[in-house]
Amino acid sequence: MSTTHAGHVSGPESPAASPALRRAPWWRLLLRDRFACLAVVILIVVALSALAGPLLLGDLAVRQNLRAVNRPPFSLDDGWAFVLGSDSLGRSLLARLIVASRTTLSVAVPAVVISLVIGSVWGMWAGYHRGRRENVSMRIADVILSFPSLLLAVVVLYVFSPSASNIVLVLAIARIPIYLRAARAESAELQSRLFVDAARTFGTRSWAIIGRHVAPTVLPTLFTVATLDFCFVMLTESSLSFLGIGIQPPDMSWGLMVSQGRQVLQSAWWIAVFPGLAIVVTTVSATVLAQWARLAMDPGQRWRLALPRSRRRDKEVRA
C-alpha cells in the first residue's frame, strides 16, 4: 500500500486502485478465491449427483444384502460401492447418499425459486407504488413471519400428508416474506431516483420501469439472499425428515438417513454421520458462495476480492 501527499490511499485496498478488477469477468474473480472455487466444485458435484445418481445407482441404493449388514466404511473388500459402509439392511451407503441428494435438492431448489419469484415481484411492485399497496403487503408479510417456518411446516404436514410437494409448498409460502421485504426496501429507494423519474416523465408504464430499471438493480441482492435461504430450506427439510414428518420411505433424503441412523449411532455411526456431513458441507459451500457473490455483484465492493481472505476479514471487522 502506498499513500500520496494528500493522504489518498492507493494500492489493492483502494476501490480506485483496481479498475481492471472491476471490469474482470466473474469467472476470473472466482479463480482468485480458493474457498469460493472449492464451494463451486462441491455444489457442482452435488448437482451432478442429484441429476445422474438415481439413473446410475438407483437399484444399488435399494438393493438389500443381509450378509453385508452394518459394514464399516473405508474398505474396498466388498467393492467401491461400500467404501462408505452399509446400513442396517446391507444397502450401499454411498449409493444412498448420491440418490438421496436428488430428493433433498428437489425440495430445497423449487421452494427457493418459487418464494424468490413471487416475493421479489410482489416486493418490487409494492415498493414502487408505495402507499396502501405497500402497507397491505408488509402487513401480510408480518403475519406470515409471525409463524416460525419450522413450526408452520410441522403443523401443516401433520394435518396433511407429509409429501415432497407439500413440503415445497409450505416452505415456499413461509419464505416469501424474506424476499418481499428485501425487494420492497430496494424498490422503494429506487423509485425516487432521477432515472426512474425521467422514465416516468416520458410516459413509461410502471411494469416497464420495474423490469428495465428496478429489477436489474434489486436482483443481485435477492440472488444473494436466495443462496443463503437455500441453506435454511435444506436444513428445514432435513429437520422435518429427521422428525418423521418429512420425506417418507421408500424415498430417501439426507435428513431421513440421519433419522434412520440415529438408532444405531453407537454401533454404526457412519449411517448417520455421513448424511449429516453431506448436509453440513453443502450448506457451508452455499454460504461461502453467497458471500463471494455479494462482493462480486457489487461494483463498489469488487476490489475486496483482490485481498487475501484474512485481510479481507480484518477490514470487514474494522468497518
Side-chain angles (χ1 to χ4, degrees):
M1 184 181 70
S2 61
T3 58
T4 64
H5 66 280
H8 174 71
V9 179
S10 62
E13 295 91 340
S14 173
S18 53
L21 184 62
R22 294 188 186 184
R23 297 190 298 268
W26 65 267
W27 57 267
R28 185 172 297 176
L29 295 174
L30 181 62
L31 293 177
R32 299 177 66 95
D33 194 320
R34 291 176 296 176
F35 289 97
C37 286
L38 179 60
V40 170
V41 171
I42 292 174
L43 293 177
I44 290 176
V45 170
V46 172
L48 292 178
S49 300
L51 292 174
L55 299 177
L56 301 176
L57 302 174
D59 294 336
L60 184 60
V62 297
R63 186 186 306 162
Q64 299 182 12
N65 183 5
L66 298 181
R67 296 181 178 179
V69 173
N70 293 342
R71 288 290 178 90
F74 312 123
S75 175
L76 296 178
D77 295 339
D78 298 308
W80 63 268
F82 292 88
V83 67
L84 295 183
S86 63
D87 63 3
S88 56
L89 294 177
R91 297 171 295 191
S92 168
L93 194 62
L94 175 62
R96 290 181 64 80
L97 273 176
I98 294 175
V99 173
S101 63
R102 167 176 286 189
T103 305
T104 300
L105 294 185
S106 66
V107 171
V109 174
V112 171
V113 171
I114 293 173
S115 57
L116 170 64
V117 172
I118 296 177
S120 59
V121 173
W122 188 358
M124 286 186 289
W125 171 80
Y128 177 82
H129 291 285
R130 306 298 297 268
R132 181 183 302 175
R133 281 172 269 197
E134 181 184 27
N135 293 331
V136 172
S137 299
M138 294 309 296
R139 297 298 78 75
I140 294 175
D142 292 339
V143 170
I144 298 176
L145 286 176
S146 63
F147 298 95
S149 300
L150 183 59
L151 178 60
L152 181 62
V154 168
V155 173
V156 173
L157 294 176
Y158 181 79
V159 175
F160 301 97
S161 60
S163 62
S165 58
N166 287 339
I167 296 175
V168 170
L169 182 61
V170 67
L171 291 180
I173 294 175
R175 306 308 292 173
I176 285 177
I178 304 298
Y179 304 97
L180 193 158
R181 298 178 72 171
R184 195 277 314 171
E186 295 272 354
S187 181
E189 193 272 334
L190 289 171
Q191 65 92 25
S192 60
R193 293 284 187 91
L194 184 60
F195 62 90
V196 176
D197 288 336
R200 194 184 299 115
T201 301
F202 282 102
T204 307
R205 295 184 177 180
S206 59
W207 279 114
I209 295 176
I210 292 174
R212 296 174 187 175
H213 302 291
V214 177
T217 306
V218 176
L219 286 180
T221 300
L222 294 178
F223 284 145
T224 304
V225 175
T227 307
L228 295 173
D229 197 42
F230 166 80
C231 304
F232 177 85
V233 172
M234 191 172 71
L235 290 173
T236 302
E237 181 277 325
S238 301
S239 301
L240 293 172
S241 299
F242 182 81
L243 295 174
I245 55 176
I247 302 299
Q248 300 295 312
D251 295 331
M252 62 191 82
S253 71
W254 289 341
L256 181 60
M257 293 178 65
V258 174
S259 177
Q260 293 172 342
R262 63 175 177 172
Q263 301 175 358
V264 291
L265 191 59
Q266 294 183 346
S267 58
W269 55 267
W270 54 90
I271 300 178
V273 168
F274 286 132
L277 187 61
I279 295 172
V280 172
V281 170
T282 304
T283 54
V284 170
S285 300
T287 302
V288 171
L289 184 60
Q291 293 176 348
W292 175 86
R294 178 177 59 85
L295 298 177
M297 290 182 178
D298 188 350
Q301 299 292 328
R302 274 192 173 193
W303 62 275
R304 295 180 180 272
L305 296 177
L307 299 176
R309 180 171 287 269
S310 58
R311 294 179 61 188
R312 190 190 314 168
R313 190 184 306 113
D314 293 340
K315 292 183 74 65
E316 289 177 353
V317 171
R318 289 198 299 267

